[in-house]
Amino acid sequence: MSGQPLPCSPQEIGSLFLFEKLTPEQLGRLCSEGRVERFEPGPVYAEGDPATCFYVMIEGTVVLSRRVGSDDVEVSRTSQRGVYAGAMQGYLGDRVRQVYNGSMRVTEPTRFFVLPADSFSNIMQEWFPMAVHLLEGLFFGSKNTQRAIGQRERLLALGSLSAGLTHELNNPAAAAVRATATLRERVGKMRHKLAIIAQGNYAPEVMANLIDIQERTAERVAKAPTLSPLEASDREDTLTDWLDDHGIQEGWRIAPTFVQAGLDVDWLDQIAAAVDEDILPNAIGWLNYTVETELLMDEINDSTDRISHLVDAAKQYSQLDRAPYQEADVHELLDSTLLMLSGKIGQRIDVVKDYDRTLPKIPAYPAELNQVWTNLIDNAVAAMNSAGGEGTLTVRTALENDRLLVEFRDTGPGVPKEIRGRIFDPFFTTKPVGEGTGLGLDISWRIVVNKHHGTLQVESEPGDTRFQVLLPLTAADEDAAEEEAV
């Protein structure tokens, strides 16, 4: 976009703070290689276009904006003479993609001194070689530092997740090992008890009856009701009395197992009626081992199911076996992340899921969204831990103005108003030294805004902090997304 060309006065541009130290010869060269242009209210250049010119405002009003999702967000508005924008990194040449990092427009007739990017680069290299070297070092050094610390941020998160996953896997694995060892012991005792019963002179129908009772007892274990602690205690007392009355030794040890299996006095009466009095103690002992083996097998089954569930969650979280860009269910992603972070969240923080399950799948990079959820949950947990380690984390999904909302709400102390505008800046952190790199929210912002064309914002007051991620329901540019995913 070009404006109306006007004469260039070395004296006038020399009055601008950017050029005030230049010699008359240098000012003359600027005017010979550059130009003065007058722009009417409207756009001057657009974000993402090739950066062809360096602009210095002589008079007027300029507005700079950045694209956030589908919106242009104003970042600066000024009438100060000498402000500059445009191809400010032209001196870096082909080492950096030369595009405008934002959009510029004017709100009144405005005059600029306009210098082509090539001329700006040549003049910088010729007039200020030391400054160029310093600026190059600052630019690329900052990029390298950010990349290195970004990798460390990911490694720290991976280490934390690995520790949490190991802890979560260890519990059911240890339970399965313990249950297996106990099961082996109980099966051995059950064989011994059966041998004692078989040594008696019992009719075949009595033995068949015992086997039938054993089968029906095992079936009752699978259908055992869930009792309240008070109900279980009352039933244990009743069963203990029954066992004592029928001469069963250590009935108080057997009663809790029978209650857990759903057996009651009526069932024991049926057993007593089905066998002779002299065989009853051995029959009860044998059935006790039967019940214990069933309960132990249930425990092993629950433990292995838990391990399988954790492995599935890890696969869902890492997305290792899936395409980078795909239609994704955010609820599956959120559930896998919460499960992976459950060890870090701990028992003192309540997690509330307020999901709108009617929401559709969205085009996304699931593994990277999981990184966003991880950073936001980690910050929420850290905030609540700083305030005593207790609180509530609410994860909510909803449809908001044709976009999918994912909100993380915590009951921590909140984000102070004076730093709220800086929390998405690289390297800014409120965590103690050594506990944060200051890149978690910066990475999250870039994933949401730059890669998914969404919005990441925060609303905060003491006891109610909400990080809100708004994602488009459809791909903004499917071809570009597919190209980037290849």
Side-chain angles (χ1 to χ4, degrees):
M1 302 171 190
S2 59
Q4 176 188 357
L6 298 172
C8 178
S9 167
Q11 291 75 21
E12 183 177 44
I13 65 172
S15 67
L16 304 175
F17 67 84
L18 195 62
F19 304 134
E20 61 185 1
K21 299 296 184 180
L22 299 183
T23 66
E25 291 77 13
Q26 290 174 322
L27 293 173
R29 180 176 174 182
L30 287 178
C31 272
S32 66
E33 297 195 24
R35 60 190 183 273
V36 173
E37 291 187 10
R38 173 189 171 95
F39 287 82
E40 296 301 320
V44 177
Y45 60 75
E47 181 176 345
D49 288 346
T52 57
C53 294
F54 177 69
Y55 294 83
V56 184
M57 190 178 73
I58 300 173
E59 63 176 356
T61 301
V62 66
V63 177
L64 298 177
S65 62
R66 292 291 302 272
R67 178 62 59 86
V68 179
S70 59
D71 302 322
D72 283 322
V73 178
E74 181 177 318
V75 295
S76 177
R77 179 186 294 257
T78 182
S79 299
Q80 180 183 353
R81 296 182 74 246
V83 295
Y84 51 91
M88 293 185 294
Q89 296 172 350
Y91 61 88
L92 295 173
D94 295 336
R95 288 173 292 174
V96 174
R97 186 167 173 251
Q98 296 293 333
V99 296
Y100 293 119
N101 293 326
S103 299
M104 184 169 73
R105 62 186 174 88
V106 295
T107 59
E108 61 177 322
T110 301
R111 287 191 303 135
F112 289 97
F113 171 69
V114 183
L115 188 63
D118 291 341
S119 296
F120 174 62
S121 176
N122 293 334
I123 287 173
M124 286 287 292
Q125 298 282 353
E126 183 179 335
W127 291 356
F128 313 109
M130 182 177 177
V132 168
H133 287 308
L134 290 173
L135 289 171
E136 287 176 343
L138 179 64
F139 179 83
F140 290 112
S142 175
K143 287 286 187 183
N144 291 336
T145 300
Q146 186 169 343
R147 186 180 301 111
I149 295 183
Q151 292 172 347
R152 178 169 174 78
E153 179 88 12
R154 292 181 175 89
L155 287 173
L156 288 172
L158 179 60
S160 177
L161 288 171
S162 298
L165 180 60
T166 301
H167 175 75
E168 291 296 317
L169 284 170
N170 183 65
N171 289 336
V177 170
R178 288 194 305 269
T180 302
T182 307
L183 178 63
R184 181 176 288 108
E185 177 190 351
R186 293 297 185 272
V187 170
K189 289 183 177 181
M190 185 167 62
R191 290 197 301 265
H192 177 69
K193 188 68 68 175
L194 179 60
I196 293 175
I197 294 174
Q199 288 173 2
N201 296 320
Y202 303 113
E205 59 270 16
V206 173
M207 295 300 297
N209 198 17
L210 275 175
I211 297 298
D212 179 63
I213 291 173
Q214 183 187 40
E215 292 295 330
R216 289 188 288 126
T217 300
E219 291 175 2
R220 285 184 70 100
V221 174
K223 301 174 183 177
T226 301
L227 303 176
S228 69
L230 183 59
E231 290 173 330
S233 178
D234 290 342
R235 188 169 291 188
E236 286 175 16
D237 291 341
T238 303
L239 287 183
T240 299
D241 292 341
W242 189 97
L243 293 169
D244 290 343
D245 292 342
H246 287 76
I248 309 299
Q249 294 183 355
E250 296 187 332
W252 58 275
R253 290 185 182 273
I254 299 175
T257 303
F258 281 2
V259 169
Q260 188 179 354
L263 306 186
D264 53 21
V265 169
D266 291 341
W267 182 254
L268 294 181
D269 284 339
Q270 293 181 41
I271 296 173
V275 300
D276 295 337
E277 185 176 349
D278 59 336
I279 199 178
L280 182 60
N282 285 331
I284 292 293
W286 185 43
L287 292 178
N288 178 51
Y289 293 138
T290 299
V291 168
E292 286 185 335
T293 57
E294 290 295 321
L295 293 175
L296 288 168
M297 286 188 287
D298 286 344
E299 184 177 347
I300 293 171
N301 185 67
D302 291 342
S303 297
T304 53
D305 282 348
R306 173 70 174 166
I307 292 171
S308 178
H309 186 46
L310 285 166
V311 171
D312 287 342
K315 289 174 62 179
Q316 172 67 257
Y317 180 86
S318 64
Q319 297 286 311
L320 288 176
D321 58 347
R322 306 190 182 192
Y325 186 77
Q326 60 176 289
E327 295 284 322
D329 183 342
V330 294
H331 302 114
E332 292 181 358
L333 305 181
L334 289 167
D335 286 341
S336 66
T337 304
L338 286 168
L339 183 56
M340 294 290 287
L341 291 173
S342 59
K344 193 167 192 177
I345 293 172
Q347 300 296 322
R348 300 174 64 191
I349 294 177
D350 295 325
V351 177
V352 177
K353 298 179 183 179
D354 183 9
Y355 292 168
D356 179 358
R357 294 286 187 178
T358 65
L359 292 173
K361 292 184 177 181
I362 61 170
Y365 295 88
E368 299 197 25
L369 284 182
N370 281 339
Q371 188 177 3
V372 174
W373 313 150
T374 299
N375 291 335
L376 297 181
I377 293 171
D378 181 67
N379 281 353
V381 171
M384 288 184 281
N385 284 338
S386 71
E390 294 183 346
T392 301
L393 171 66
T394 303
V395 184
R396 182 171 72 94
T397 63
L399 185 65
E400 186 168 301
N401 298 327
D402 296 326
R403 291 195 292 179
L404 189 149
L405 167 69
V406 181
E407 180 182 80
F408 299 86
R409 177 184 180 186
D410 69 75
T411 56
V415 182
K417 188 174 182 180
E418 58 270 18
I419 67 169
R420 210 169 294 164
R422 301 174 57 200
I423 60 175
F424 296 110
D425 292 348
F427 308 112
F428 180 80
T429 180
T430 59
K431 295 178 181 178
V433 175
E435 292 187 16
T437 62
L439 283 178
L441 288 179
D442 170 60
I443 291 170
S444 299
W445 193 91
R446 285 188 279 113
I447 290 173
V448 172
V449 176
N450 295 344
K451 201 147 192 179
H452 289 86
H453 308 289
T455 302
L456 175 57
Q457 59 197 29
V458 61
E459 298 176 0
S460 183
E461 60 184 45
D464 186 3
T465 297
R466 306 182 186 201
F467 280 88
Q468 297 173 327
V469 178
L470 289 159
L471 299 168
L473 299 178
T474 56
D477 187 346
E478 293 186 8
D479 294 336
E482 289 174 3
E483 197 173 291
E484 189 171 358
V486 172

